[in-house]
Amino acid sequence: MGAALAVDLPPIAAPVVEDQALIDATLAGRPEEFGELVMRYERAVYNLALRTLRDRSEAEDAAQEAFFKAYRGLNTFRPGAKFSTWIFTICYRSCCDRLAKRRRLSGDELPDRADPSAGPEALAERDDEAYRLRSAIDALPQKYRTVVTLYHLQGKQYEEIATVLNLPLGTVKTHLLRAKEQIRKALTI
């Protein structure tokens, strides 16, 4: 008999479990399955909260609160819907509640910029494009910053953003267009 040929085959990847299967398993009494959903979306949810709230500690709390609310209300999740849209909606609403509470406690509106001292001069001094882009996004009003975060950083489509933010589709497109114009202006200074 001839010698068997050794063939290097790539390792077989474990099958990816769909979000709905994890939800069904959680609802069937295996709460540890929800942990996989948290692992899949925790970074994206935290980033949305951070871009919205501009405070790391509050963003961590808002993200944790969003997952807690999602877990408690998992039985209300519509089969066939996207879990990512649902968790982003919960997170965004939690952030809006926190912002409203901040406004009530401070007695006035929040500033349009996270760091009022970082003006065009500070941006011009820095030649790091990534830093300049982050600064330009952070300088956007919250409604534009959130749309940019969901569209460009999270890769969501217009329809999904409209659902998450509870806005008409045309408003989402307008916010994104105006945000891009403001970012373009900030980067050309």
Side-chain angles (χ1 to χ4, degrees):
M1 300 264 160
L5 295 175
V7 177
D8 288 333
L9 296 174
I12 297 174
V16 176
V17 179
E18 296 293 324
D19 290 350
Q20 187 62 53
L22 294 171
I23 292 167
D24 293 342
T26 302
L27 291 172
R30 295 196 316 268
E32 66 278 1
E33 298 296 332
F34 190 77
E36 176 64 28
L37 290 168
V38 172
M39 287 176 43
R40 285 182 187 179
Y41 296 104
E42 66 186 334
R43 184 175 178 161
V45 168
Y46 169 75
N47 285 332
L48 173 61
L50 182 61
R51 291 281 181 196
T52 305
L53 297 170
R54 298 179 179 182
D55 180 279
R56 290 182 187 277
S57 178
E58 257 198 286
E60 289 171 4
D61 290 347
Q64 185 175 8
E65 180 181 336
F67 282 111
F68 182 70
K69 285 180 177 178
Y71 181 77
R72 277 195 346 230
L74 201 57
N75 61 337
T76 65
F77 180 77
R78 280 182 308 132
K82 289 179 74 175
F83 181 79
S84 62
T85 302
W86 191 59
I87 192 69
F88 286 145
T89 301
I90 293 169
C91 179
Y92 181 71
R93 289 183 181 155
S94 176
C95 290
C96 288
D97 290 345
R98 288 170 180 272
L99 288 171
K101 184 177 180 181
R102 269 193 215 168
R103 285 186 196 107
R104 282 193 309 271
L105 293 176
S106 70
D108 55 17
E109 290 295 312
L110 294 174
D112 282 341
R113 301 175 61 103
D115 181 9
S117 65
E121 299 84 21
L123 294 176
E125 291 172 4
R126 296 175 181 100
D127 53 332
D128 177 13
E129 287 185 32
Y131 177 82
R132 291 182 67 217
L133 181 58
R134 276 193 308 273
S135 295
I137 292 171
D138 286 344
L140 292 172
Q142 188 240 332
K143 61 185 177 182
Y144 297 159
R145 193 173 57 251
T146 303
V147 172
V148 167
T149 299
L150 289 170
Y151 185 76
H152 287 291
L153 303 178
Q154 305 290 343
K156 301 302 174 195
Q157 299 300 316
Y158 294 129
E159 294 81 10
E160 192 170 1
I161 296 169
T163 301
V164 168
L165 302 180
N166 195 27
L167 292 173
L169 185 61
T171 302
V172 169
K173 291 178 181 181
T174 300
H175 284 354
L176 190 58
L177 177 67
R178 289 180 180 162
K180 287 179 182 180
E181 289 171 358
Q182 288 185 21
I183 290 171
R184 191 175 300 117
K185 285 179 186 176
L187 293 177
T188 58
I189 292 176

